[in-house]
Amino acid sequence: MDGTQTHNVQCEENPPPYYSVVKPNEPPPSYVDIQALPSAPAIIPFYIHHHLPQIPAPHTPQPVIAPTARVQPDLPRSSLVVTRSKKARCYGGSGGFLLILVVIGLAIWLGVHYSALLASKGSEVDNCPSSAVGCDGHRDCKRGSDESHCVRFGAGNELQVMTSNSGHFLPVCSAGWNRSLADQICQQLGFRVSYQYGSLTSTSSSFLSVSDQSTENIQGRLKVTSTCPGQQTASLLCSDCGHPHTSSRIVGGNVAALGQWPWQASLHFKGSHTCGGSLVAQDFILTAAHCFPKDSASRQVPSNWRVYLGVVSQYLLPLPYSVEQITLHELYNSHTNDYDIAILKLSLPANLSSTVQPVCLPAFDQTVSVDTQCWTSGFGATFEGAGFGSSKLMEVAVNIIDSSVCNGAEVYNGRITQNMLCAGDLNGGSDSCQGDSGGPLVCQESDGRWYLTGVTSWGVGCGRKNSPGIYSNVHSLLTWIHSKMEQERP
């Protein structure tokens, strides 16, 4: 982001493994005492794609600025890890000590094994009978996957529903529309209540109208009709999303102000900032699947994670939220980083305020044009080779790059799938960096709201020429996101 570049490297056929510096089963090194941060000009961040070395933390975990580490050439966007060190106590002689270790080890194994099974519940393939009928309002599959892909939003937040009778999505006539119905639909989709509902003029020749039938899901209450008074169809917004309370920004990267990116989450693993995330509803955080590698069972245990919201400094952490459920995309590939997306369900709903607000999810037909200026944010490293991430929330403007360009021989040579987005600068300089896996890439639309366009995933180095950042494409993964929110709704 400051234009500094490093020597380019040859890309391997597939993105390298997530762990490169710190193996998942190795204990962290001892933590150095935190000193007060010296006053210094704002640091401009850009991302590295290798795992930052672990740093032991004090009682309140805080990252610090430290000497640089050796750069790994071609790695996915990894994470700043700050871990707590604990002193061990000895009881009795060596025999008793060994017995205690065996008991503790067994208890830990059972806890991790059982908890990991619970955590992976959301990633299992649903069990559906052969007689299951999709979108009929009746849950046939064990996890409800037959009814979790039946509602979507179009331009202007137009509500569109698919029923078993229609076979495809149709707008819903606004006649008979009310607050109770709006709340029911938003709750079905994983939100607490509705925020705003209204109507708009549709050009459709077929509609869905509300019947008097009472069902848990909206698709069970709708019937196909060819008429709709005034062609007026229902529009619905389930949350007041994408509206930060401050908007001053500097292109090229800078320290973010409090409330500027109110959906930004800091995900802590065992007391350490490990990944970023985005609040998309009061109960749900969207992040990257590679933050929870399958070869590290403890990272898939919800109780090992805490979520901090409304944070712009790792030195000023509010009370955290616990994680109830971790759901990874079933098709996530750790070798190619395809389908690199995960959703966390919080144990309690987030308390919304001027500094904690959800980001908007895009409509099904909402895409971002090439060269659109968007923004990414996080607590990642501030320059390539940095040993530690930033203690302050950083922001940087990046431009959307055509995937065909990113798949060129001089860039990523065919490694970009339809589930990925390229953003940055092919000349180098503006990029995301190490420490912000799972963080947001957001773009502002004409309605003034900010929409989650990408999830920080992987890349080569920080700000290198022909090595822009790669983000999971939220638009192509939207159906999965909505279905998981619906299946795990509070």
Side-chain angles (χ1 to χ4, degrees), residues 2 26 41 45-46 108 190 193 216 231-232 259 316 331 364-365 472:
D2 59 359
E26 287 184 354
F46 54 115
I108 291 175
V193 292
E216 180 184 2
Q231 299 285 105
Q232 295 297 296
L316 298 171
L331 299 179
F364 85 94
D365 55 355
S472 297

Side-chain angles (χ1 to χ4, degrees), residues 237-259:
L237 193 60
C238 289
S239 66
D240 186 14
C241 58
H243 266 163
H245 287 252
T246 181
S247 59
S248 59
R249 295 179 184 87
I250 300 176
V251 176
N254 201 11
V255 176
L258 184 63

Side-chain angles (χ1 to χ4, degrees), residues 102-112:
V102 171
V103 172
I104 292 175
L106 179 61
I108 291 175
W109 182 87
L110 288 172
V112 169

